[in-house]
Structures are given as C-alpha cells and as structure tokens.
Amino acid sequence: MPVRDEVGDLPFGDEPYTVKRKFLREEFRVSDSDGNRILDTGRNVSEGMATFPFRDEDDEIAFRVRSKRLFDSAGDYVLLVGEGEEPLLTLSKELNFRRHHWTVAFPDSEEIVEVTSRRGLIGAVNTVSQMLSPLPQTFSIDAPNGEHIGEVAGRLHPRTVYDVRIERTRATSQEVLSAAGVAIAVLESV
C-alpha cells in the first residue's frame, strides 16, 4: 500500500491550482498559480469503467482516478498512484438534490475530509442541469471535526474552471489534499 502522504512525484505544494476544462471536450488541464501546466487528464472509458489518468509534462501517469463499479452513477471512485492498482484514497459522492457532498478517505475507511457544495437552492438547479445554472459552484473542504481546510471554487468563465486551495493540511499532506481537490473538480465537471 502506498504511503499515506505520497502521491507520486507531483509538483503539488502549498499554492492554489487551477483545473480548466477544454472547450467541448472532457479533457482538463491543471495549472499552478503561475499558470504553468502541471497535469492533463481526460476521461477514458474501458469495459464500462471511467478512468481519468493525470499525466505530467513528460506524459507519464502521476495518478489516476477510477470508478469503483461498472457504469458508476453514485460517485464512488478510487485515486491510484502512478500505474499501481493499490488505492491511495477513496472519493465517494453522496447524491443529494440540494448539495453535492464528497467524502475523501483512506482505503481503510479513515475519513480525511468532506467536500461539500455551498449553494442550497441554486445547487438543486445545478443538480438537474449545469446548463440551467450559470453560477459557478463552490465547495468547502472540511476536516471530519468541522475545521475548514480549503475550498474548490468555481469561476464564472465560458469553460468550466475550478481553483483548488488548501489552507491548512492537518495530519494529511498538502499533496494528498491537493490531489483529492483536483480530482473532485474534474469529476464535478463531467
């Protein structure tokens, strides 16, 4: 099993990251605070399982996010390091009409953070159709004890754009929390 505070050799640090969807495609670019591309990803569906391989500038897979089941509609995913098959994190989305709620945990079910949308009624419209809700969605990243750790904030932009900011890391590394935030930004954008 990978070390809990390790996600390959990614350049994630203590800065914000931007996830931007490419025009009319399910492909995304992840940039650092200076606008430098650090990762690219796009959906790959094989045998009914959606996988998002996050590739660095050398086209090497840094980490992957994969659905846990065939044709997963509930939102159960695992984050895998590099080419390995041992999950580092589980990402579970709770379907709710008014809010989008994600739980990020280690494979042994130790919860790390909860990522919850802040939009109430507007979130309900977004659940029905993202086209009907022009306002960007913002998610609060909180520790299990309720302490605010960061956010995944949508921007008003012609394409889907999220900024991932981790303000406090608690016991889990900045790399792990940034990878989870970036993965959720991509999953919320498809």
Side-chain angles (χ1 to χ4, degrees):
M1 181 170 174
V3 177
R4 288 181 179 226
D5 289 342
E6 234 176 67
V7 182
D9 294 324
L10 298 183
F12 286 139
D14 61 355
E15 61 185 312
Y17 296 93
T18 300
V19 177
K20 185 183 230 182
R21 184 178 181 157
K22 293 183 180 176
F23 191 66
L24 297 177
R25 292 185 290 186
E26 288 185 355
E27 294 177 7
F28 302 85
R29 172 163 283 168
V30 181
S31 306
D32 64 15
S33 58
D34 294 328
N36 300 316
R37 179 187 73 82
I38 60 168
L39 298 169
D40 283 316
T41 190
R43 180 162 28 188
N44 176 16
V45 179
S46 68
E47 299 175 7
M49 297 180 104
T51 302
F52 294 87
F54 287 79
R55 297 182 180 276
D56 62 18
E57 62 259 359
D58 298 325
D59 204 34
E60 298 292 324
I61 295 176
F63 68 96
R64 294 172 291 139
V65 175
R66 184 181 68 204
S67 58
K68 285 175 115 178
R69 299 187 277 273
L70 292 177
F71 304 107
D72 193 350
S73 61
D76 288 323
Y77 297 88
V78 292
L79 190 146
L80 305 158
V81 178
E83 298 283 348
E85 291 300 318
E86 277 296 322
L88 175 73
L89 300 173
T90 62
L91 310 168
S92 302
K93 184 176 183 180
E94 182 182 311
L95 296 175
N96 184 314
F97 186 65
R98 291 178 57 107
R99 299 183 114 181
H100 295 226
H101 178 86
W102 289 86
T103 301
V104 179
F106 288 118
D108 64 6
S109 299
E110 178 190 343
E111 187 177 319
I112 304 170
V113 292
E114 293 184 6
V115 182
T116 308
S117 66
R118 300 181 187 162
R119 288 194 16 204
L121 186 58
I122 295 171
V125 173
N126 195 22
T127 299
V128 175
S129 171
Q130 288 185 349
M131 299 302 275
L132 295 175
S133 182
L135 300 175
Q137 204 164 8
T138 296
F139 297 84
S140 179
I141 302 173
D142 301 307
N145 67 1
E147 178 186 358
H148 182 71
I149 292 176
E151 69 179 9
V152 177
R155 271 197 243 159
L156 197 54
H157 194 277
R159 293 187 267 171
T160 305
V161 177
Y162 282 101
D163 294 311
V164 177
R165 283 185 282 287
I166 306 299
E167 296 151 13
R168 286 180 213 149
T169 60
R170 295 190 28 95
T172 307
S173 78
Q174 188 86 21
E175 272 188 319
V176 170
L177 294 174
S178 293
V182 164
I184 288 171
V186 167
L187 293 168
E188 281 289 336
S189 300
V190 281

